[in-house]
Amino acid sequence: QVQLVESGGGLVQPGGSLRLSCAASGSIFSINAMGWYRQAPGKQRELVATITSGASTKYADSVKGRFTISRDNAKNTVYLQMNSLKPEDTAVYYCNAEIMAIAAEYWGQGTQVTVSS
């Protein structure tokens, strides 16, 4: 089992920045990849960024050059630095962890990000 706790969401003006954090606990040694997904009202959940245990990263085209995913292994925490935020980035952001050996994935409770003037 893996538990994920997100923090760092909030209200920010267009062009502003936020940093989301996701602290993992439990069977963290089994995690192959972690990532951030988001879901806007009336839309499907979509991938934002992922990072593997080997630190390989992947980003959605809509956030490339603006968002950066990183990890601090000592703190078992993954971060999403979001710069140059746009109103279309408004969504609930969810942290995700995958364990391939048992074909399992885990989700955090979500944190709201609102970009508005």
Side-chain angles (χ1 to χ4, degrees), residues 33-65:
M34 294 185 68
W36 290 94
Y37 290 70
R38 67 187 182 187
Q39 187 167 18
K43 294 187 177 181
Q44 290 189 331
R45 191 173 296 188
E46 63 176 3
L47 180 147
V48 176
T50 61
I51 185 166
T52 69
S53 55
S56 295
T57 58
K58 181 171 67 175
Y59 296 92
D61 288 343
S62 59
V63 307
K64 283 181 180 176

Side-chain angles (χ1 to χ4, degrees), residues 83 93 97 109 115:
N83 299 328
Y93 284 69
Q109 80 285 358
V115 185

Side-chain angles (χ1 to χ4, degrees), residues 20 35-41 43-49 60-63 66-67 80 82 85-95 107 111 113 115:
L20 305 182
W36 290 94
Y37 290 70
R38 67 187 182 187
Q39 187 167 18
K43 294 187 177 181
Q44 290 189 331
R45 191 173 296 188
E46 63 176 3
L47 180 147
V48 176
D61 288 343
S62 59
V63 307
R66 300 189 298 121
F67 291 11
L80 185 68
M82 304 185 294
L85 283 160
K86 304 175 181 179
E88 51 263 44
D89 295 317
T90 296
V92 178
Y93 284 69
Y94 296 92
C95 182
W107 295 92
T111 185
V113 171
V115 185

